[in-house]
Amino acid sequence: MENLTGGTPPVRYLPCVVPCKLYFSLDDETLMKLTAGYAAGMGCLEATCGALIGAVMTAGVLTDGAGTPRYSKEILAKFQQKCGATICRELKGVGTGKVLCECPECVRNAVLALGEVMGIE
């Protein structure tokens, strides 16, 4: 999986880390620990996509927390529009057999939604 900064991240990177990695100034080890629980819909495929969570976390940093709930709502809506769902199980087609969005595309769409909402190119 190529990351959005042009390089190939180490295998230990989880997709949900990518949006955070672009904007957080944390060392890799701390960032991995911070986001480890968000992979695979918080480990059970039943919860929100980790890439979307990473995008919302990044919005909080970019805004210093001011207005983040409003930005979160907008990021979520754009992600849903791009991916077709926000819950990992639905994105991966568990139970339906119809995959709506693979993990690398979820990451891409989370970063795009973040950029669109926050006015970042």
Side-chain angles (χ1 to χ4, degrees):
M1 173 178 72
E2 185 171 301
N3 72 21
L4 298 174
T5 59
T8 302
V11 174
R12 62 188 176 84
Y13 274 178
L14 304 171
C16 59
V17 172
V18 175
C20 298
K21 183 70 179 158
L22 295 175
Y23 297 100
F24 283 102
S25 58
L26 298 173
D27 63 271
D28 288 353
E29 184 178 346
T30 301
L31 189 58
M32 286 299 297
K33 289 176 183 176
L34 177 68
T35 60
Y38 299 119
M42 294 195 201
C44 61
L45 299 176
E46 297 290 336
T48 303
C49 171
L52 176 56
I53 292 169
V56 170
M57 289 171 59
T58 302
V61 170
L62 292 173
T63 63
D64 289 325
T68 305
R70 179 178 59 84
Y71 290 117
S72 298
K73 183 177 179 180
E74 292 177 35
I75 292 167
L76 185 138
K78 287 194 178 286
F79 183 89
Q80 169 110 21
Q81 181 183 20
K82 293 174 185 305
C83 296
T86 61
I87 303 300
C88 190
R89 174 182 199 82
E90 296 167 11
L91 290 163
K92 303 303 160 244
V94 176
T96 66
K98 181 182 177 192
V99 176
L100 299 178
C101 197
E102 296 287 355
C103 287
E105 195 65 16
C106 287
V107 170
R108 180 180 180 280
N109 289 331
V111 173
L112 289 173
L114 172 68
E116 289 169 13
V117 169
M118 303 303 299
I120 302 167
E121 292 186 19

